[in-house]
Amino acid sequence: MNRLSDWHIMGALVVLGLGLPFVAPSLITQLSFLWLMVVFAMTWDMLGGRMGYNSFGNIVFFGIGCYAAAVVQRDAGLPYFEALALGLALGAVLAVAAALLFGAALLGIRGHYFAIGTLGLGITAAEIAAGWDYVGAGSGMALPLYPGALGAREFFFCFSLFAVAVVCFLCLRWLYGTRFGLALNAIRDDQDKADAMGLRTTRIKVFAWCISAFFLAISGGLAANMIGFIDPRDVAFAGATFGVWMVLMAILGGKGTLWGPVLGAIVFHVTQELFWTYLLGWQRVALGLLIVVIVVFFPQGIMGWIAERRAAREGAAP
Amino acid sequence: MTAMLEVRDVTKRFGGVVANDRISLTVKQGEIAGLIGPNGSGKTTLFGCITGTLPVDGGEVYFEGQPISHLRAGPIARLGLLRTWQQTRIYGEMSCAENMAISAREAHGGLLSLLKPVPVATRVRANDLLAFVGLHEKRDERGGRLSFGQQKLLEFAMALMNEPKLLLLDEPTAGINPTLINGLIDRLRRANAELGVTLLVIEHNMRVIMNLAHRITCLAHGEVLAEGTPAEIRDDARVLDAYLGVA
């Protein structure tokens, strides 16, 4: 995609993101979740798509963001918005620190072993949170009430999550245009070669994970407030839902492409909502089938499929 | 000429197999040194020992007087000692131009220096070097789509992009179209003379190595068998014996 159409799509999405809550207020919660999914897919793709490290543990950073916000909002004794801002900042700091720590420990292992190691991370975090009384243990935590007028809360969090998605997109887009983006690809294609060519691969990998963690933590703090309640296993460290979806959305859209994760998140979320609406009772079966179809028929994702079609057309043209 | 690389009594074992048995050799600054030997004589293993991809079991490697055998591949590369692989290693999903851009020496820097677009000067140099190895029209092609011989040329160009002081080439002509081999010899010479890169070349093609190298070391069964000028090596009975098995 060239630069011009990049900006066109971005413009269209901004109009959608800012306009739709007013045009169709009933969709506002869905839209908020959509932006959350976009952040999930983009941050996952940075490691899974660009760097070739399939992480099943990214949900940990989201959960850290949820809990950090909730604890600060509960204990800081500050007005709502100040406490929220402080909670988001603390969540981001903790998540980045966790990414540094886990990165140093886990990013040295490769391939399936890395995937399994990170899977353990998510499960462990959920179990710790579910057993820790300070954060409500198994009964979770309730977030404070939003102080504004009735309905204002939904708008606030929808726009906040939208802003996070936009900033995340622009940040990653910029990063992928630098040498750092090329270095991620080099690590994906042949890490030993990258090492032997003098790239400081460990630093690069850990830094990438820190960036993912940062955006996941911010979106986690906002999402916790939007939902209003944190359950350790079903919201904060929801590895079986959010944690798997972020992988699927990136693959569906096209790993390692700029728009793939965004597109994948939109298609996935809309499809999933349609399943809930029209196939109630069977929605999980339909979702499972969708996953199988994605992996079997679109291993390169929508963007990969488009690129293939385009290459075939250009190849066929005289 | 001073010794740029000095390998002193390097030993490498794989279980009971002694792949390198107290090997010593030196490469002088500015020369083209050759490394030959029958299959399994330990040439590629020695490359691994020198460049830090294999830990040595004994002996020491000095690069510009500094011991490096305790270092890993990355730090050694940043000192200016680089290798290529017999089975080429390039970044398959990236375009040739991107392969070149990320191989530039600036990519050795810290994170902050990586957070910048590839400078125009680097792109120009990448294009020049791609043209130098004859891959200029392939610059937007994915590396993985090139033929084996083209990948070898790309890997060579990537190594030059990194501006090494010493470059270890593992069979640079293997898989290259025979009609292009003379051109490649010429390019290796020019890299040595014009870009000032000292070369240590593993080569099975005798015509190539005899033409190219100033000095040749011959390995057999993990040991240094003979060392000398191409003419001396050519006439050495032990070398002939190792290659041809004549008694």
Side-chain angles (χ1 to χ4, degrees):
Chain A
M1 250 176 251
N2 56 40
R3 229 187 163 80
L4 192 68
S5 67
D6 250 27
W7 290 107
H8 283 157
I9 299 173
M10 265 186 260
L13 283 176
V14 167
V15 170
L16 179 78
L18 295 180
L20 198 63
F22 297 103
V23 179
S26 61
L27 291 177
I28 197 161
T29 304
Q30 295 315 323
L31 199 61
S32 311
F33 270 104
L34 174 63
W35 303 132
L36 182 62
M37 294 298 145
V38 169
V39 174
F40 279 170
M42 285 191 299
T43 50
W44 185 85
D45 188 60
M46 184 164 199
L47 264 77
R50 298 274 168 172
M51 202 171 90
Y53 275 73
N54 295 313
S55 165
F56 285 92
N58 279 13
I59 192 69
V60 168
F61 307 122
F62 175 80
I64 288 173
C66 291
Y67 275 109
V71 168
V72 170
Q73 286 175 280
R74 181 189 67 188
D75 296 345
L78 290 168
Y80 185 85
F81 289 104
E82 280 87 338
L84 176 62
L86 187 64
L88 293 180
L90 180 71
V93 169
L94 289 178
V96 169
L100 278 173
L101 192 71
F102 298 147
L106 285 172
L107 280 167
I109 52 179
R110 300 190 190 178
H112 304 307
Y113 302 103
F114 177 77
I116 291 167
T118 52
L119 189 62
L121 214 55
I123 295 169
T124 310
E127 292 310 316
I128 289 174
W132 190 8
D133 285 327
Y134 180 62
V135 295
S139 43
M141 290 180 79
L143 277 295
L145 289 173
Y146 186 82
L150 199 66
R153 172 175 169 275
E154 282 75 12
F155 274 87
F156 177 75
F157 288 109
C158 185
F159 287 132
S160 304
L161 282 166
F162 178 61
V164 173
V166 169
V167 172
C168 180
F169 177 87
L170 291 175
C171 175
L172 295 189
R173 184 174 181 277
W174 165 70
L175 273 177
Y176 296 154
T178 66
R179 277 198 280 252
F180 180 76
L182 290 179
L184 292 182
N185 293 159
I187 289 169
R188 174 194 65 198
D189 286 359
D190 190 337
Q191 191 180 322
D192 291 327
K193 174 74 177 176
D195 268 325
M197 292 297 276
L199 290 179
R200 298 171 192 267
T201 52
T202 306
R203 278 187 212 178
I204 294 168
K205 289 186 289 185
V206 173
F207 182 63
W209 219 11
C210 288
I211 295 188
S212 276
F214 175 83
F215 286 109
L216 281 167
I218 300 280
S219 69
L222 292 171
N225 275 280
M226 176 184 74
I227 298 166
F229 171 74
I230 308 174
D231 181 277
R233 294 188 190 89
D234 292 341
V235 178
F237 299 110
T241 51
F242 294 161
V244 173
W245 292 351
M246 48 177 91
V247 185
L248 284 169
M249 293 185 291
I251 293 175
L252 171 64
K255 282 204 294 184
T257 61
L258 183 65
W259 283 104
V262 181
L263 195 62
I266 294 173
V267 172
F268 182 85
H269 188 62
V270 170
T271 317
Q272 203 200 0
E273 286 308 317
L274 291 178
F275 288 164
W276 267 100
T277 312
Y278 295 107
L279 298 171
L280 193 60
W282 289 86
Q283 77 274 10
R284 287 197 183 275
V285 177
L287 192 61
L289 276 177
L290 177 70
I291 292 168
V292 172
V293 169
I294 291 169
V295 173
V296 172
F297 294 102
F298 297 97
Q300 301 299 317
I302 299 169
M303 294 302 289
W305 182 73
I306 292 174
E308 236 167 60
R309 291 278 301 241
R310 190 182 290 163
R313 208 170 47 228
E314 276 166 13
Chain B
M1 287 200 289
T2 53
M4 178 169 254
L5 177 76
E6 188 181 353
V7 177
R8 205 180 288 165
D9 293 327
V10 162
T11 300
K12 176 69 194 171
R13 295 184 202 91
F14 296 105
V17 180
V18 187
N20 285 167
D21 190 3
R22 290 189 292 117
I23 289 184
S24 295
L25 64 84
T26 55
V27 177
K28 293 175 189 140
Q29 181 153 15
E31 76 172 343
I32 302 180
L35 186 61
I36 62 170
N39 290 328
S41 59
K43 305 181 295 293
T44 298
T45 301
L46 184 62
F47 267 25
C49 290
I50 294 172
T51 55
T53 43
L54 290 173
V56 300
D57 293 323
E60 185 56 82
V61 180
Y62 297 89
F63 179 61
E64 297 188 308
Q66 181 188 349
I68 57 167
S69 70
H70 61 286
L71 295 177
R72 306 186 69 146
I76 290 178
R78 290 191 282 275
L79 288 175
L81 201 177
L82 225 58
R83 72 172 290 189
T84 66
W85 273 264
Q86 193 175 346
Q87 302 301 322
T88 62
R89 298 187 86 150
I90 49 140
Y91 307 124
E93 296 295 315
M94 300 164 71
S95 74
C96 291
E98 288 173 333
N99 267 280
M100 295 295 285
I102 197 57
S103 299
R105 195 159 186 82
E106 306 104 67
H108 292 177
L111 281 171
L112 284 179
S113 76
L114 284 178
L115 297 178
K116 288 174 194 148
V118 178
V120 177
T122 304
R123 288 181 198 280
V124 170
R125 228 170 75 75
N127 272 332
D128 290 349
L129 281 171
L130 281 175
F132 176 68
V133 297
L135 287 175
H136 192 256
E137 74 273 27
K138 299 274 184 192
R139 62 189 178 280
D140 295 323
E141 189 107 37
R142 276 200 297 121
R145 291 179 62 103
L146 300 179
S147 72
F148 180 74
Q150 287 170 331
Q151 290 188 9
K152 276 222 116 113
L153 292 169
L154 175 61
E155 194 184 22
F156 175 52
M158 286 161 70
L160 293 180
M161 194 73 196
N162 214 302
E163 300 171 70
K165 295 172 188 161
L166 172 61
L167 177 56
L168 276 52
L169 294 164
D170 200 341
E171 296 198 29
T173 67
I176 302 250
N177 184 335
T179 57
L180 296 176
I181 285 185
N182 283 341
L184 183 63
I185 295 177
D186 178 51
R187 287 183 187 117
L188 293 176
R189 282 209 184 103
R190 281 175 59 195
N192 176 250
E194 294 168 21
L195 305 175
V197 183
T198 305
L199 298 176
L200 174 59
V201 184
I202 293 180
E203 189 51 71
H204 272 301
N205 185 326
M206 285 302 141
R207 185 177 68 79
V208 170
I209 200 71
M210 293 296 163
N211 269 317
L212 185 68
H214 305 136
R215 276 184 326 111
I216 295 176
T217 304
C218 179
L219 300 187
H221 308 296
E223 295 174 22
V224 175
L225 190 66
E227 208 222 319
T229 63
E232 287 165 2
I233 291 290
R234 192 162 32 216
D235 299 332
D236 194 302
R238 290 167 304 171
V239 176
L240 290 176
D241 179 35
Y243 267 95
L244 303 173
V246 214

Coordinates of all heavy atoms in Angstrom, one line a residue, chain A residues 174-175 177-183 185-201 203-204 207, chain B residues 74 77-78 82 85 89 91-94 98 101-103 106-109 111 113-119 155 158 162:
Chain A
W174 N 6.0 4.3 12.8 CA 7.2 5.1 12.8 C 8.4 4.1 13.0 O 9.4 4.1 12.3 CB 7.2 6.2 13.8 CG 8.6 6.7 14.1 CD1 9.3 7.5 13.2 CD2 9.4 6.5 15.3 NE1 10.5 7.8 13.8 CE2 10.6 7.2 15.1 CE3 9.1 5.9 16.5 CZ2 11.6 7.2 16.1 CZ3 10.1 5.9 17.4 CH2 11.3 6.6 17.2
L175 N 8.2 3.3 14.0 CA 9.3 2.3 14.4 C 9.7 1.4 13.2 O 10.8 1.1 13.0 CB 8.9 1.5 15.6 CG 9.1 2.0 17.0 CD1 8.6 1.0 18.0 CD2 10.6 2.2 17.2
G177 N 9.5 2.0 10.2 CA 10.3 2.7 9.2 C 11.7 3.0 9.5 O 12.4 3.5 8.7
T178 N 12.1 2.6 10.7 CA 13.5 2.9 11.1 C 14.3 1.6 11.0 O 13.8 0.6 10.7 CB 13.6 3.4 12.6 OG1 13.2 2.3 13.4 CG2 12.7 4.6 12.9
R179 N 15.6 1.8 11.3 CA 16.5 0.6 11.3 C 16.1 -0.4 12.3 O 16.3 -1.6 12.1 CB 17.9 1.1 11.7 CG 18.7 1.6 10.6 CD 20.2 1.7 11.0 NE 20.5 2.8 11.8 CZ 21.2 3.9 11.4 NH1 21.7 3.9 10.2 NH2 21.4 4.9 12.2
F180 N 15.4 0.1 13.4 CA 14.9 -0.9 14.4 C 13.9 -1.9 13.7 O 14.0 -3.1 14.0 CB 14.2 -0.1 15.5 CG 13.7 -0.9 16.6 CD1 14.5 -1.5 17.5 CD2 12.3 -1.1 16.7 CE1 14.0 -2.3 18.6 CE2 11.8 -1.9 17.7 CZ 12.7 -2.5 18.6
G181 N 13.0 -1.4 12.9 CA 12.1 -2.2 12.2 C 12.8 -3.3 11.3 O 12.4 -4.5 11.4
L182 N 13.8 -2.9 10.6 CA 14.6 -3.8 9.8 C 15.3 -4.8 10.7 O 15.4 -6.0 10.4 CB 15.7 -3.1 9.0 CG 15.1 -2.2 7.9 CD1 16.3 -1.5 7.2 CD2 14.4 -3.0 6.9
A183 N 15.8 -4.3 11.9 CA 16.5 -5.3 12.8 C 15.5 -6.3 13.3 O 15.9 -7.5 13.4 CB 17.1 -4.5 14.0
N185 N 13.0 -7.6 11.7 CA 12.8 -8.5 10.6 C 14.0 -9.4 10.4 O 13.9 -10.6 10.2 CB 12.6 -7.8 9.3 CG 11.2 -7.1 9.2 OD1 11.1 -6.1 8.5 ND2 10.3 -7.5 10.1
A186 N 15.2 -8.8 10.6 CA 16.4 -9.6 10.5 C 16.4 -10.7 11.6 O 16.8 -11.9 11.3 CB 17.6 -8.7 10.6
I187 N 16.0 -10.4 12.8 CA 16.0 -11.4 13.9 C 15.0 -12.5 13.5 O 15.3 -13.7 13.7 CB 15.6 -10.7 15.2 CG1 16.8 -9.8 15.7 CG2 15.2 -11.7 16.2 CD1 16.4 -8.9 16.8
R188 N 13.9 -12.1 12.9 CA 12.9 -13.1 12.5 C 13.4 -14.0 11.4 O 13.3 -15.2 11.5 CB 11.6 -12.4 11.9 CG 10.6 -13.3 11.3 CD 9.6 -12.5 10.5 NE 10.3 -11.9 9.4 CZ 9.7 -10.9 8.6 NH1 8.6 -10.4 9.0 NH2 10.4 -10.4 7.6
D189 N 14.2 -13.5 10.5 CA 14.6 -14.3 9.3 C 15.8 -15.1 9.7 O 15.9 -16.3 9.2 CB 15.0 -13.4 8.2 CG 13.7 -12.8 7.5 OD1 12.6 -13.2 7.9 OD2 13.9 -12.1 6.5
D190 N 16.7 -14.6 10.5 CA 17.9 -15.4 10.8 C 18.6 -14.8 12.0 O 19.5 -13.9 11.8 CB 18.9 -15.6 9.6 CG 20.0 -16.7 9.9 OD1 20.2 -16.9 11.1 OD2 20.5 -17.2 9.0
Q191 N 18.3 -15.2 13.2 CA 18.8 -14.5 14.4 C 20.3 -14.7 14.5 O 21.1 -13.8 14.9 CB 18.1 -15.0 15.6 CG 18.5 -14.1 16.8 CD 17.8 -14.5 18.0 OE1 16.6 -14.9 18.0 NE2 18.5 -14.4 19.2
D192 N 20.8 -15.9 14.2 CA 22.2 -16.2 14.3 C 23.0 -15.3 13.4 O 24.1 -14.8 13.7 CB 22.5 -17.6 14.0 CG 22.0 -18.5 15.1 OD1 22.0 -18.1 16.3 OD2 21.6 -19.7 14.8
K193 N 22.5 -15.1 12.2 CA 23.1 -14.2 11.2 C 23.2 -12.8 11.7 O 24.2 -12.1 11.7 CB 22.4 -14.3 9.9 CG 22.8 -13.3 8.8 CD 24.1 -13.7 8.2 CE 24.5 -12.8 7.1 NZ 25.8 -13.1 6.5
A194 N 22.0 -12.4 12.3 CA 22.0 -11.0 12.8 C 23.0 -10.8 13.9 O 23.7 -9.8 13.9 CB 20.5 -10.7 13.3
D195 N 23.1 -11.8 14.8 CA 24.2 -11.8 15.8 C 25.5 -11.6 15.2 O 26.3 -10.8 15.6 CB 24.1 -13.1 16.6 CG 23.3 -13.0 17.8 OD1 23.2 -11.9 18.4 OD2 22.6 -14.0 18.2
A196 N 25.8 -12.5 14.2 CA 27.1 -12.5 13.6 C 27.4 -11.3 12.8 O 28.6 -11.1 12.4 CB 27.3 -13.8 12.7
M197 N 26.4 -10.5 12.4 CA 26.6 -9.3 11.7 C 26.7 -8.1 12.7 O 26.8 -7.0 12.2 CB 25.5 -9.0 10.7 CG 25.4 -10.0 9.6 SD 26.8 -9.9 8.5 CE 26.4 -8.6 7.4
G198 N 26.7 -8.4 14.0 CA 27.0 -7.3 14.9 C 25.8 -6.7 15.5 O 25.9 -5.7 16.3
L199 N 24.6 -7.1 15.2 CA 23.4 -6.5 15.8 C 23.3 -6.9 17.2 O 23.6 -8.1 17.6 CB 22.1 -7.0 15.0 CG 21.9 -6.4 13.6 CD1 20.6 -7.0 13.1 CD2 21.8 -4.9 13.6
R200 N 22.9 -6.0 18.1 CA 22.7 -6.3 19.5 C 21.3 -6.9 19.7 O 20.4 -6.2 20.1 CB 22.9 -5.1 20.3 CG 24.4 -4.5 20.2 CD 24.5 -3.2 20.8 NE 25.7 -2.5 20.4 CZ 26.9 -2.6 21.1 NH1 26.9 -3.3 22.2 NH2 28.0 -2.0 20.7
T201 N 21.2 -8.2 19.3 CA 19.8 -8.7 19.2 C 19.1 -8.8 20.5 O 17.9 -8.5 20.5 CB 19.9 -10.2 18.6 OG1 20.8 -10.9 19.4 CG2 20.4 -10.2 17.2
R203 N 19.1 -6.8 23.2 CA 18.6 -5.5 23.5 C 17.4 -5.2 22.6 O 16.4 -4.6 23.1 CB 19.6 -4.4 23.2 CG 20.6 -4.2 24.3 CD 21.4 -3.0 24.0 NE 22.7 -3.2 24.6 CZ 23.7 -2.3 24.4 NH1 23.5 -1.2 23.7 NH2 24.9 -2.5 24.9
I204 N 17.5 -5.5 21.3 CA 16.5 -5.1 20.4 C 15.2 -5.9 20.7 O 14.1 -5.3 20.8 CB 16.9 -5.5 19.0 CG1 18.1 -4.6 18.6 CG2 15.8 -5.4 18.0 CD1 18.8 -5.0 17.3
F207 N 13.6 -4.6 24.0 CA 13.0 -3.3 23.8 C 11.7 -3.4 23.1 O 10.7 -2.7 23.5 CB 14.0 -2.4 23.0 CG 13.5 -1.0 22.7 CD1 13.2 -0.1 23.8 CD2 13.2 -0.6 21.4 CE1 12.8 1.2 23.5 CE2 12.7 0.7 21.2 CZ 12.5 1.6 22.2
Chain B
G74 N 28.6 -11.7 18.3 CA 28.3 -10.3 18.1 C 29.5 -9.3 18.4 O 29.8 -8.5 17.5
A77 N 32.1 -9.5 15.8 CA 31.7 -8.8 14.5 C 31.9 -7.3 14.7 O 32.3 -6.6 13.7 CB 30.3 -9.2 14.2
R78 N 31.6 -6.8 15.8 CA 31.7 -5.4 16.0 C 33.2 -4.9 16.1 O 33.5 -3.7 15.8 CB 31.0 -4.9 17.3 CG 29.4 -5.0 17.2 CD 28.7 -4.4 18.3 NE 28.6 -5.2 19.5 CZ 27.8 -6.1 19.8 NH1 26.8 -6.4 18.9 NH2 27.8 -6.8 20.9
L82 N 34.4 -10.6 10.4 CA 33.1 -11.1 10.0 C 33.3 -12.4 9.2 O 34.4 -12.7 8.6 CB 32.5 -10.1 9.1 CG 31.0 -9.7 9.2 CD1 30.8 -9.2 10.7 CD2 30.7 -8.6 8.3
W85 N 28.8 -17.8 5.3 CA 28.6 -19.2 5.5 C 28.6 -20.0 4.2 O 28.2 -19.5 3.2 CB 27.2 -19.4 6.2 CG 27.2 -19.4 7.7 CD1 27.3 -20.4 8.5 CD2 27.1 -18.2 8.5 NE1 27.3 -20.0 9.8 CE2 27.2 -18.7 9.9 CE3 27.0 -16.9 8.2 CZ2 27.1 -17.8 10.9 CZ3 27.0 -16.0 9.3 CH2 27.0 -16.5 10.6
R89 N 23.6 -17.5 4.4 CA 22.7 -17.0 5.4 C 22.4 -15.6 5.1 O 23.2 -14.7 5.2 CB 23.2 -17.1 6.8 CG 23.5 -18.6 7.2 CD 23.9 -18.7 8.6 NE 22.7 -18.8 9.4 CZ 22.7 -19.5 10.6 NH1 23.8 -20.1 11.0 NH2 21.6 -19.6 11.3
Y91 N 18.7 -12.7 5.0 CA 17.4 -12.5 5.6 C 16.4 -12.8 4.5 O 16.1 -11.9 3.6 CB 17.3 -11.1 6.2 CG 18.4 -10.8 7.2 CD1 19.2 -9.7 7.0 CD2 18.6 -11.7 8.3 CE1 20.2 -9.4 7.9 CE2 19.7 -11.4 9.1 CZ 20.4 -10.3 8.9 OH 21.5 -10.0 9.8
G92 N 15.8 -14.0 4.5 CA 15.0 -14.4 3.3 C 13.7 -13.6 3.0 O 13.3 -13.5 1.9
E93 N 13.1 -13.1 4.0 CA 11.8 -12.4 3.8 C 12.0 -10.9 3.5 O 11.0 -10.2 3.2 CB 10.9 -12.5 5.0 CG 10.4 -14.0 5.3 CD 9.6 -14.5 4.2 OE1 8.7 -13.8 3.7 OE2 9.8 -15.7 3.8
M94 N 13.2 -10.5 3.6 CA 13.5 -9.0 3.4 C 14.1 -8.8 2.0 O 14.7 -9.7 1.4 CB 14.5 -8.5 4.4 CG 14.0 -8.6 5.8 SD 15.3 -8.5 7.1 CE 15.6 -6.7 7.0
E98 N 16.9 -4.1 1.7 CA 16.8 -4.1 3.2 C 17.9 -5.0 3.8 O 18.4 -4.7 4.9 CB 15.4 -4.7 3.6 CG 14.3 -3.7 3.3 CD 12.9 -4.3 3.5 OE1 12.8 -5.6 3.4 OE2 12.0 -3.6 3.8
A101 N 20.7 -2.8 4.0 CA 20.6 -1.6 4.9 C 20.9 -2.0 6.3 O 21.5 -1.3 7.1 CB 19.2 -1.0 4.7
I102 N 20.3 -3.2 6.7 CA 20.5 -3.6 8.1 C 21.9 -4.2 8.4 O 22.2 -4.5 9.5 CB 19.3 -4.6 8.5 CG1 19.2 -4.6 10.1 CG2 19.5 -5.9 7.9 CD1 19.0 -3.3 10.8
S103 N 22.6 -4.5 7.3 CA 24.0 -5.0 7.5 C 25.0 -3.9 7.6 O 26.2 -4.1 7.8 CB 24.4 -5.8 6.3 OG 23.5 -6.9 6.2
E106 N 26.4 1.0 11.0 CA 25.7 1.8 12.0 C 24.8 1.0 12.8 O 24.4 1.3 13.9 CB 24.9 2.9 11.3 CG 25.5 3.8 10.4 CD 25.2 3.4 8.9 OE1 24.1 3.6 8.5 OE2 26.2 3.0 8.2
A107 N 24.3 -0.2 12.3 CA 23.4 -1.0 13.0 C 24.0 -1.7 14.2 O 23.3 -2.3 15.0 CB 22.8 -2.1 12.1
H108 N 25.3 -1.5 14.4 CA 26.0 -2.1 15.6 C 25.7 -1.2 16.8 O 25.9 -1.7 17.9 CB 27.5 -2.0 15.4 CG 28.0 -3.0 14.4 ND1 29.3 -3.1 14.0 CD2 27.3 -3.9 13.6 CE1 29.4 -4.0 13.1 NE2 28.2 -4.5 12.8
G109 N 25.2 0.0 16.6 CA 25.1 0.9 17.7 C 24.0 0.5 18.7 O 23.3 -0.5 18.5
L111 N 20.4 1.2 21.0 CA 19.0 1.3 20.6 C 18.7 2.7 20.0 O 18.0 2.8 19.0 CB 18.1 1.1 21.8 CG 17.9 -0.4 22.1 CD1 17.2 -0.5 23.4 CD2 17.1 -1.1 21.0
S113 N 20.5 4.7 18.3 CA 20.9 4.9 17.0 C 20.1 4.1 16.0 O 20.1 4.4 14.8 CB 22.4 4.6 16.9 OG 22.6 3.2 16.9
L114 N 19.4 3.1 16.5 CA 18.6 2.3 15.6 C 17.2 3.0 15.3 O 16.6 2.7 14.4 CB 18.3 0.9 16.2 CG 19.4 -0.1 16.2 CD1 19.0 -1.4 16.9 CD2 19.8 -0.4 14.8
L115 N 16.9 3.9 16.2 CA 15.5 4.5 16.1 C 15.6 5.7 15.1 O 15.0 6.7 15.3 CB 15.0 5.0 17.4 CG 14.8 3.9 18.4 CD1 14.4 4.5 19.8 CD2 13.8 2.9 17.9
K116 N 16.3 5.4 13.9 CA 16.3 6.4 12.9 C 16.1 5.7 11.6 O 16.5 4.6 11.4 CB 17.7 7.1 12.9 CG 18.0 8.0 14.1 CD 19.4 8.5 14.0 CE 19.8 9.2 15.4 NZ 21.1 9.0 15.7
P117 N 15.6 6.5 10.6 CA 15.5 5.8 9.3 C 16.9 5.6 8.7 O 17.8 6.2 9.2 CB 14.8 6.9 8.4 CG 14.2 7.9 9.4 CD 15.1 7.8 10.6
V118 N 16.9 4.7 7.7 CA 18.2 4.4 7.1 C 18.6 5.6 6.3 O 17.9 6.1 5.5 CB 18.0 3.2 6.1 CG1 19.3 2.9 5.4 CG2 17.5 2.0 6.9
P119 N 19.8 6.1 6.6 CA 20.3 7.4 6.0 C 20.5 7.2 4.5 O 20.7 6.1 4.0 CB 21.6 7.7 6.6 CG 21.8 6.7 7.7 CD 20.8 5.6 7.5
E155 N 25.2 -12.3 0.2 CA 25.8 -12.4 1.5 C 27.2 -11.7 1.5 O 27.6 -11.1 2.5 CB 26.0 -13.9 1.9 CG 26.3 -14.0 3.3 CD 26.5 -15.5 3.7 OE1 26.8 -16.3 2.9 OE2 26.4 -15.8 4.9
M158 N 26.6 -8.1 1.6 CA 26.2 -7.7 3.0 C 27.4 -7.6 3.9 O 27.5 -6.7 4.8 CB 25.2 -8.7 3.6 CG 23.8 -8.6 3.0 SD 22.9 -10.2 3.3 CE 22.6 -10.1 5.0
N162 N 29.2 -4.1 5.9 CA 29.5 -4.1 7.3 C 30.9 -3.5 7.6 O 31.3 -3.3 8.7 CB 29.4 -5.5 8.0 CG 28.9 -5.4 9.4 OD1 29.5 -4.8 10.2 ND2 27.8 -6.1 9.7

